[in-house]
Amino acid sequence: GLVIMRRSDNTLAAGFHMGKNTHVADFDWVNPERVLISMTEKFGALDQPRYTGEIYAISADGSDAELLVGQRVQSAGPGTRIQRKKVEAVVASLVDDLPGDDDHVIISVRPFRPDPYTRAERMNVYSGRRHTIARAPVRNARFVTDNQGVVRFAVGAGTDNRQKLYYRAAGDAEWELINNEASGGLRQWPIGFAADDQTAYLQAEQAQGPDAILGFDISTGTRSVVLRDDTVDPSHILYRNGSRSPVGVRFIDGEPRTEFIDAGSAEARLYRSLEAAFAGTRVAISSQTADGSLALVYTGSDRSPGDFYVFDAKAKTADHLLSRREWFDPAQMAPMRPFEFEARDGLVVHGYLTVPNGSGGKNLPMVVVPHGGPFGVRDVWGFDSDVQMLAQAGYAVLQVNFRGSGGYGRAFESAGARQWGKAMQDDLTDATHWATEQGIAAKDRICIYGASYGAYASLMGVAKEPELYRCAVGYVGVYDLPTMHTRGDIQEHRSGETYLEEWIGGPEQLATVSPNRMASRIKAPVFLAAGGEDERTPIEHTEMMEKALREAGVPVETLYYPTEGHGFYVEANRNEYYTRLLDFLSRSLGGKIASVAPAGGDASAAE
């Protein structure tokens, strides 16, 4: 649910909830008294709620709660021609809250069908009345407005997955194609406009190295580099309070840092002041009052799940508001250290190493944790519950941003295309050898554990390198790659079929890199977990992997939940999974297991 409280006396002003099986997903203040709310809902047998695409609204005093747009909007009835709201099954999302207009916002809407065309609409936040102001010239598009609320950019991709960026000079102008991945090979994304709307900013891929932030002169069409890091892409754009104007960028090359378009701007000075006050943490301004006098500030780190403060800009004071997990002592958590190494072909690969607090960091049992995705996804510096759990159990944890990962430029990501089980897997192997050569990991006490693609990489790890790992864990994984072309939600769209062919490979090429067809090579014990309602990696993958392992005589343990999806959602199910995970790892590596929680307390690791 959503709760609104008065700052003056911390009393409840309003609340919003919709009953059983529904959850507030996100909210946005769109004027001083009106909040827009998006929802998720638990459908059918699936445990984890899903985004409904509906937008609700409520006033700050609790009045006028109403569904504005979505599939459950109902007609006003046959007795009237006045229909304030459109009755149609669409997915809606906020594009621009229009700071200068308290009555309206810009939203994007798209129908419930694969690879749709999107339209932008102006919507009244009280009545839900809306009308179309722009139609995307490309499928799967999102829109970007200028500081006047005019839709100026549309960026999307058709079934060929080749991104197209369109621009228009005004709200009634024709769309102009200004970047086409199909011809140039690189993508560009609009991120906003300068305060005078004479310069737009784009994040642009480069032929080599990381993405750059470009200034796009709308009068001449010329582009120039404004900000760029030597190693990593921009990870987050910082905006001027209450505007669509980018002022800076957060880069995560090791620990996060910020860079600004104008280093002398008020925003840059504010961030530098907060970063100095909260040294060693990632600082983010979550929101501000319209006049900038108060700011909600988030601070977090590799050892802290995060705290929120109310910062008074005039008094220069920060009052603690709440902690995300106040029962966690950051001093007891394990630090995360960035590292890099050269893979066997000379490619520089980055990652993070976490060692148990106070361990000395040498000759440790180690768990290699490949991330999911895999393409365009990466591990970053910050608090990670799985990593901290493993470190508290006594393990070093190795996270590797193998080729194909996002955040290091187009060329690095493209280097992973069609490399499942090949060069992507070799990067994990090379990182594991690096950790043993550095004396961090005891080479006879290493396991590999991952989810989704990470589960695939874990089972491929013990199949391809049977002498390297002592055990493997696959959580909601994909193991029979040809089946990806016939089962799951990716291949249901034509754009998904294109993705499978270009990034993973055709069915005839994938049998030789499918771990369920290599079970005879696996010598280490395996733990598999999956959900019966998983549409991304259907449970059949895990069942095939289990069958192949049993036929090969490999010790295998399983945990199935028929109503879970792509990752366990129900707390009791997660509790059992992690308890069994720690027990399984302990039998192979000797680390701690989960203890039984005392009455009124939390479970902890025990010998």
Side-chain angles (χ1 to χ4, degrees), residues 296-437:
L296 187 64
V297 177
Y298 165 82
T299 68
S301 72
D302 54 340
R303 305 174 76 176
S304 169
D307 293 87
F308 288 91
Y309 296 81
V310 177
F311 176 72
D312 186 319
K314 184 176 181 180
K316 305 295 184 186
T317 58
D319 295 328
H320 186 262
L321 184 64
L322 58 89
S323 299
R324 276 189 164 162
R325 299 183 190 179
E326 61 184 11
W327 60 94
F328 275 25
D329 179 3
Q332 300 301 314
M333 300 295 109
M336 176 184 280
R337 175 167 67 87
F339 71 92
E340 65 179 61
F341 68 98
E342 279 194 11
R344 63 190 64 182
D345 62 356
L347 183 69
V348 176
V349 177
H350 298 259
Y352 291 91
L353 172 69
T354 303
V355 300
N357 205 13
S359 68
K362 295 295 183 181
N363 199 36
L364 296 166
M366 186 175 77
V367 181
V368 181
V369 184
H371 63 69
F375 302 112
V377 178
R378 62 168 294 200
D379 289 313
V380 298
W381 185 88
F383 191 87
D384 186 304
S385 296
D386 277 26
V387 170
Q388 292 296 332
M389 177 192 71
L390 293 171
Q392 287 214 345
Y395 305 116
V397 183
L398 195 72
Q399 298 170 278
V400 186
N401 286 322
F402 44 81
R403 70 191 69 202
S405 302
Y408 297 92
R410 175 65 178 262
F412 187 86
E413 184 174 340
S414 297
R418 297 192 169 206
Q419 292 299 312
W420 285 44
K422 301 175 184 176
M424 292 169 72
Q425 194 70 40
D426 292 341
D427 288 346
L428 291 168
T429 301
D430 294 348
T432 305
H433 286 307
W434 172 87
T436 59
E437 292 163 3

Side-chain angles (χ1 to χ4, degrees), residues 126-187:
Y126 295 95
S127 69
R129 188 185 299 276
R130 53 194 171 94
H131 67 273
T132 299
I133 58 174
R135 295 182 184 275
V138 60
R139 296 178 187 270
N140 302 302
R142 69 175 182 87
F143 299 102
V144 171
T145 57
D146 62 18
N147 289 291
Q148 309 308 312
V150 179
V151 176
R152 302 286 290 277
F153 285 105
V155 58
T159 57
D160 63 352
N161 280 345
R162 298 297 186 267
Q163 189 221 61
K164 295 180 175 64
L165 173 60
Y166 287 85
Y167 168 78
R168 62 181 187 174
D172 56 356
E174 295 294 321
W175 288 109
E176 175 188 357
L177 180 63
I178 63 170
N179 190 73
N180 187 353
E181 183 187 2
S183 58
L186 300 171
R187 295 171 293 182

Side-chain angles (χ1 to χ4, degrees), residues 56-77:
Y56 293 79
I58 189 172
S59 293
D61 61 2
S63 63
D64 299 322
E66 192 168 0
L67 172 62
L68 299 182
V69 56
Q71 56 189 320
R72 279 177 281 213
V73 169
Q74 297 182 355
S75 168

Side-chain angles (χ1 to χ4, degrees), residues 393 395 579 582-584 586-587 591-595 604-607:
Y395 305 116
T579 298
L582 288 174
D583 180 68
F584 175 79
S586 179
R587 281 181 271 124
K592 297 177 183 178
I593 61 173
S595 67
S604 61
E607 296 293 350

